[in-house]
Amino acid sequence: MGTKQYTGSPEDADLMRADSLAREIFADVANKWAFLIIEFLGERTLRFSELRNEVEGISHKMLTQNLRMLERNGLVERKVHPIVPPRVEYTLTEAGRALRATVDGMCGWTHTYLGHIEESRRRFDA
């Protein structure tokens, strides 16, 4: 498994440009539901209902929208098994697993600095 090289135009990767594809991708994946879906899929394949049980508080609609967005961006693979009723499973792609390393870092940062953030909020709100 090698890292694929970027082949789009330089403008698409330019974070300084409001219309860059990179900003669009950030807007898609930088939300709490996408982060949690990526974290819970991890190295596992899960069915929709299993994933919904893992991501506490997510609605059916939000899970559906985020899974579609992650699939559109090539981060999640959706596999439909041809049985009755249909069985649908989701798993991270290579790109999704690579993004998960960043998500894991964010989760670790949250655990490390949670006390600091709580104290700052108390001072700010006082």
Side-chain angles (χ1 to χ4, degrees), residues 87-107:
R87 180 177 173 173
V88 181
E89 297 178 327
Y90 298 89
T91 189
L92 293 179
T93 64
E94 178 184 346
R97 288 190 302 274
L99 181 57
R100 183 168 180 250
T102 300
V103 172
D104 286 346
M106 290 288 293
C107 291

Side-chain angles (χ1 to χ4, degrees), residues 49-104:
S49 59
E50 294 170 325
L51 192 51
R52 186 166 179 205
N53 290 337
E54 292 285 332
V55 184
E56 188 176 321
I58 194 168
S59 68
H60 186 279
K61 179 181 176 181
M62 275 289 107
L63 181 55
T64 299
Q65 287 176 348
N66 276 273
L67 283 168
R68 286 181 182 162
M69 174 273 298
L70 291 168
E71 184 180 9
R72 178 177 183 256
N73 284 307
L75 303 172
V76 168
E77 180 183 351
R78 177 179 184 263
K79 183 174 183 182
V80 180
H81 297 275
I83 59 174
V84 178
R87 180 177 173 173
V88 181
E89 297 178 327
Y90 298 89
T91 189
L92 293 179
T93 64
E94 178 184 346
R97 288 190 302 274
L99 181 57
R100 183 168 180 250
T102 300
V103 172
D104 286 346

